[in-house]
Structure formats: C-alpha cells, structure tokens
C-alpha cells in the first residue's frame, strides 16, 4: 500500500466544502513549494553550489553555504536583496525542504553555515501528502515523455480541454506501466491523487470513475518557477492560466521606484509600459495582459500591452504567398530563471507582442511584430497563442523558433 491506505472514500460532501476548499488550497500551496524547491535544488547541483564541504576535519556531503547561496540568488536575480533571499530560503526551511546540516539552527541565516536539501540526505518527511505529490509528479513526467500519447486535447460536453486523459485508458496505462498490480489498485491510486488535489475531472463535476470521463493534472509540474513566487500568498491555481506564459516582468521590490520595459511598435513609437517580468504568473482580461506583483504588497494589477502591436491583421496564407515581403529567421533561445522574455499574442498566425530588452529572446534577436512559424520544428502557423504557449511551457528549456518579419517593418 502507498499514500496511506483507504482512509475513507474519495471526495467531500457539501457540508465540508468550506474546510475542504481551505485544505485544497493548502495542498496546492505545498505542491508549489515542493516543485519550486526541487527546481532550485537541481539548479544548485548543476552549478556546483551544492557540493561536499569540509569543516574541522569533517566532510559534509551535498551541502551549500548560506552566505554564498544568498550571493548566488541575488546574482541570478532570484532575489532583489539579502533580506528577501533570507525570507525565501526560510520558506523552504519551514516546509522541511532544507535544514542546517547539524539541525542546530532552525532559522536560515546570512552567515557561513552549512545547509542541505533534505532530499539530498534522505531525511525528507514523507507524509501522505508528500507521497501522493511525488507519485503524481512521477506519473506526470512519464506521461509527458515524447513517446507517450495518453495526454491529448479532447472535448467533453461541447468544451475542448487541453492535456486530458480518459479515465479508463489511464487505468489501463497504470497497470501496463507497473504503477499498479491490478485495475482496482490503479483506481484506488487515482482516488488518492484526486483527494490530494493532483488530478481532477475537467469540469470538476465528477469524482474519479472508471469510465470515458476526462481528467487532467491540476498543475504543470514542468513550468519553471521563480523563487519569488514563494512570497505570493495567492492560490497557485489562480496563477496557472492558459494565457501566454511569457508576460514581461522586471523585478522590483521598492514601491517608490517604477520599473518599465520598452516595446517598439512598427511605427517606431516607443511605448513605456510599467510591468513586472515573469515566466508564467499572469491573468488575462479581454482587454489585454495584467501582471500581479509576486511580493506581498497590495498594489493594484498593472495593465500590460493591452492592444496589438500589429499595424493590421495578417493571415497565414498571406505569409506563405510566394513573393510576399516577409523574411524568415530562426532563433535559439535558452530560458533563464525567469523565462524566455517575450509575449505571444494572436491566432493563425501568432505574433510577438513584446520583448524584454534584457531577456534571452532579445539577446537572440527576437523583435515585436514577428510572426511565429514553428516551435522546435512543429509548424504553428494555424494555431492560437494558447497552443503555442503550452507547447513552449511543456518543452525543453532551450527552444528553437522560426519567425517571419515584414521586410519594411
């Protein structure tokens, strides 16, 4: 048995919906912190910040120096100052993700003390919630592998949903992959995943049933998290939107200073738009993009690039017409800790709405008004920006994009 046995049947009744909602939000919050912490741990290993260290003739394996880590966070723009960096790491310590190597300091301090990720020394507390989360993350990664086709766009009751799986097919797959020894055990696993908020019915109308009903994973485990998101107390589910995940953000924690990015329109007019650069924390109204601050400030949302930068609508057919005044370009863009640094908008074809001058996309040569032709070899001329956004989010950190730009632009 895994994830703590039966403990009752799946789902809560309406009399417990209030407490159930609060518990669900806490589970979502915990899941986001776990993913963020794991992504940070892997980056620190990759950059040799985590390594074996000696002190008083004793070797402490797989640890980092608190003071050096704070330097690293600021250098990589994961924190604006040392005080913020301490708060971020304390969030991970409070969740039991990191700890002092001798457990002598519960507070994370900006000094030359050794700390370690509990996952690196086998002391991570595996309660039922964490077990269910880790199981769900492993299943998600297997399903997202290129050779797996279980997750597909599908329709239910006239509504199309992205990255769905059919309950009966998912149970078959769990048994086939050795994740469960029988169909009954696979169904029990799905009930636990649903109870812990890892999967859900596409419209939240049904518990998990062995049927042709459609279900989804509630979160995108592969989305690159910014460490600053740990200080955002809003429900993480409100941040996971199908809108373009590349809304520009430029980090600032000083409310007295305004930050901005410049977006140059085809008429060469320079628009100054206050914003915060981000990789995927956006909510979009019908009039454009809005960015919400990842800090705890109560400042109102800021409208970002509400209108299209295009001078006129352009169709895919027009771009592909022989002799049309458009040039093809190919960019290789390596995402940083924040994202890729551009905004995708429009449909059939999508276009580049804005580019962060200090981001990876700008460094590769991307400009506003360019039309997106392909992403990692897949033609996207006939899809909308949501599809392009999801394609980039679920792909590798390095993306290859082919675009077309007007020669006279």
């Amino acid at each position: 048995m895994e994830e703590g046995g039966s403990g009752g049947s799946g789902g809560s009744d309406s009399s417990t919906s209030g407490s159930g909602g609060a518990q669900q939000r806490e589970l979502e919050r915990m899941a986001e912190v776990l993913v963020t912490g794991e992504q940070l741990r892997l980056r620190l290993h990759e950059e040799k910040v985590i390594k074996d260290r000696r002190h008083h003739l004793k070797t402490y394996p797989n640890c980092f120096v608190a003071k050096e880590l704070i330097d690293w966070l600021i250098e990589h723009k994961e924190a604006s100052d040392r005080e913020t960096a301490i708060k971020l790491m304390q969030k991970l310590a409070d969740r039991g993700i990191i700890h002092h190597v001798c457990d002598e300091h519960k507070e994370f301090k900006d000094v030359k003390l050794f700390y370690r990720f509990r996952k690196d020394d086998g002391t991570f507390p595996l309660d039922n919630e964490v077990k269910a989360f880790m199981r769900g993350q492993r299943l998600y990664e297997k399903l997202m592998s290129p050779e797996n086709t279980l997750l597909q766009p599908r329709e239910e009751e006239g509504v199309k949903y992205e990255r769905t799986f059919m309950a009966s097919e998912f149970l078959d797959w769990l048994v086939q992959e050795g994740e469960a020894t029988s169909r009954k055990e696979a169904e029990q696993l799905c009930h636990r995943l649903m109870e812990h908020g890892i999967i859900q019915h596409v419209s939240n109308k049904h518990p998990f049933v062995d049927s042709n009903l459609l279900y989804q994973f509630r979160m995108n485990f592969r989305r690159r998290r910014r460490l600053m998101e740990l200080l955002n107390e809003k429900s993480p589910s409100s941040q996971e939107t199908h809108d373009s995940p590349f809304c520009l953000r430029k980090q600032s924690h000083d409310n007295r200073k305004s930050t901005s990015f410049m977006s140059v329109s085809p008429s060469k007019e320079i628009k100054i738009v206050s914003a915060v650069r981000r990789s995927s924390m956006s909510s979009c109204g019908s009039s454009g993009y809005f960015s919400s601050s990842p800090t705890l400030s109560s400042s109102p949302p800021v409208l970002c690039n509400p209108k299209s930068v295009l001078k006129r609508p352009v169709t895919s057919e027009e771009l592909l017409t022989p002799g049309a005044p458009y040039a093809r370009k190919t960019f290789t863009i390596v995402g940083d800790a924040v994202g890729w640094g551009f905004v995708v908008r429009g449909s059939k074809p999508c276009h580049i709405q804005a580019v962060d001058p200090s981001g990876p996309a700008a460094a590769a040569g991307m400009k506003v008004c360019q039309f997106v032709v392909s992403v990692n070899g897949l033609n996207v001329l006939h899809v909308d920006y949501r599809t392009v956004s999801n394609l980039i989010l679920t792909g590798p950190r390095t993306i290859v994009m082919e675009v077309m730009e007007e020669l006279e632009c």
Side-chain angles (χ1 to χ4, degrees):
M1 291 291 291
E2 292 192 42
E3 287 89 59
S6 56
S9 59
S12 303
D13 58 31
S14 58
S15 64
T16 60
S17 59
S19 60
Q23 182 182 21
Q24 183 61 51
R25 288 190 293 273
E26 174 57 24
L27 287 174
E28 290 174 354
R29 184 68 187 155
M30 179 202 69
E32 285 294 322
V33 176
L34 289 174
V35 173
T36 304
E38 178 61 8
Q39 289 182 353
L40 176 64
R41 185 183 74 88
L42 294 175
R43 288 180 64 196
L44 295 179
H45 272 288
E46 182 180 345
E47 301 204 17
K48 309 299 182 185
V49 178
I50 294 177
K51 57 186 178 182
D52 295 353
R53 300 175 185 271
R54 289 183 62 81
H55 182 65
H56 289 170
L57 302 180
K58 182 176 180 179
T59 299
Y60 296 87
N62 291 324
C63 63
F64 59 87
V65 179
K67 191 175 184 67
E68 292 178 5
L69 178 62
I70 290 176
D71 293 337
W72 186 91
L73 292 175
I74 294 174
E75 179 185 350
H76 287 77
K77 296 181 173 58
E78 289 288 355
S80 58
D81 51 56
R82 306 192 77 81
E83 181 181 357
T84 301
I86 292 171
K87 289 180 180 178
L88 291 169
M89 297 310 296
Q90 188 62 49
K91 287 277 187 180
L92 297 182
D94 292 343
R95 290 282 183 173
I97 295 174
I98 65 170
H99 69 122
H100 177 250
V101 291
C102 298
D103 290 318
E104 294 176 354
H105 302 275
K106 291 188 177 181
E107 294 183 354
F108 189 85
K109 301 179 180 181
D110 185 6
V111 293
K112 292 184 177 180
L113 288 175
F114 292 169
Y115 289 82
R116 183 187 291 129
F117 281 80
R118 289 190 179 275
K119 195 166 182 180
D120 283 331
D121 61 14
T123 62
F124 194 78
L126 294 177
D127 56 21
N128 290 339
E129 287 78 12
V130 173
K131 284 182 180 179
F133 165 80
M134 295 178 70
R135 186 76 177 273
Q137 184 178 27
R138 187 174 80 244
L139 293 175
Y140 182 88
E141 289 296 334
K142 291 178 71 173
L143 289 169
M144 289 299 294
S145 63
E147 62 272 11
N148 196 297
T149 59
L150 200 63
L151 297 185
Q152 295 286 341
R154 297 182 176 91
E155 286 190 12
E156 186 171 290
E157 297 182 350
V159 180
K160 187 173 182 179
Y161 300 93
E162 299 291 328
R163 290 203 298 257
T164 70
F165 58 86
M166 190 179 298
S168 57
E169 293 180 357
F170 188 50
L171 294 176
D172 292 337
W173 180 82
L174 288 172
V175 175
Q176 178 184 340
E177 291 292 311
E179 295 288 345
T181 58
S182 66
R183 198 173 188 82
K184 181 178 180 180
E185 183 180 322
E187 192 168 358
Q188 290 174 345
L189 169 60
C190 291
H191 288 156
R192 290 195 294 274
L193 294 177
M194 201 158 185
E195 288 169 7
H196 288 89
I198 296 168
I199 63 173
Q200 66 177 13
H201 177 250
V202 290
S203 61
N204 264 331
K205 292 181 179 178
H206 302 282
F208 189 87
V209 182
D210 185 357
S211 64
N212 291 337
L213 290 173
L214 301 181
Y215 296 82
Q216 292 173 311
F217 280 80
R218 288 179 60 92
M219 65 187 297
N220 181 352
F221 289 95
R222 287 188 171 185
R223 178 177 70 82
R224 288 178 62 82
R225 272 70 172 174
R226 276 214 72 188
L227 207 57
M228 283 302 305
E229 293 179 37
L230 295 178
L231 299 183
N232 180 16
E233 296 300 329
K234 293 182 180 180
S235 172
S237 60
S238 67
Q239 302 163 11
E240 294 274 356
T241 72
H242 288 95
D243 211 337
S244 174
F246 314 111
C247 186
L248 295 171
R249 297 184 67 184
K250 195 170 184 178
Q251 192 62 51
S252 173
H253 305 291
D254 189 342
N255 293 331
R256 296 169 297 179
K257 300 177 182 178
S258 63
T259 58
S260 63
F261 64 84
M262 292 187 297
S263 174
V264 184
S265 70
S267 62
K268 308 303 180 186
E269 171 192 3
I270 295 192
K271 301 176 181 179
I272 305 297
V273 185
S274 295
V276 185
R277 181 178 163 216
R278 62 176 163 169
S279 59
S280 69
M281 250 173 37
S282 68
S283 58
C284 180
S286 59
S287 59
Y289 282 91
F290 294 83
S291 70
S292 53
S293 171
T295 67
L296 296 178
S297 71
S298 57
S299 56
V302 180
L303 183 61
C304 306
N305 281 20
K307 298 179 181 178
S308 172
V309 296
L310 297 179
K311 292 183 290 186
R312 61 179 180 82
V314 176
T315 65
S316 299
E317 289 72 22
E318 180 180 344
L319 291 176
L320 298 176
T321 301
Y326 296 96
R328 289 183 181 245
K329 293 186 176 182
T330 302
F331 304 126
T332 299
I333 307 170
V334 182
D336 61 14
V338 184
W340 292 268
F342 63 95
V343 178
V344 182
R345 292 293 279 164
S347 176
K348 302 178 183 180
C350 303
H351 65 270
I352 304 302
Q353 173 75 359
V355 179
D356 179 1
S358 63
M366 181 174 284
K367 300 176 182 177
V368 297
C369 303
Q370 292 172 335
F371 297 96
V372 184
V373 177
S374 68
V375 176
N376 293 332
L378 296 176
N379 189 295
V380 294
L381 276 174
H382 301 286
V383 301
D384 64 9
Y385 71 91
R386 291 179 176 85
T387 303
V388 173
S389 299
N390 285 330
L391 183 62
I392 295 173
L393 265 182
T394 56
R397 180 180 177 185
T398 300
I399 58 175
V400 178
M401 291 185 63
E402 184 181 12
V403 302
M404 297 182 75
E405 69 176 21
E406 195 169 1
L407 291 176
E408 60 189 48
C409 186

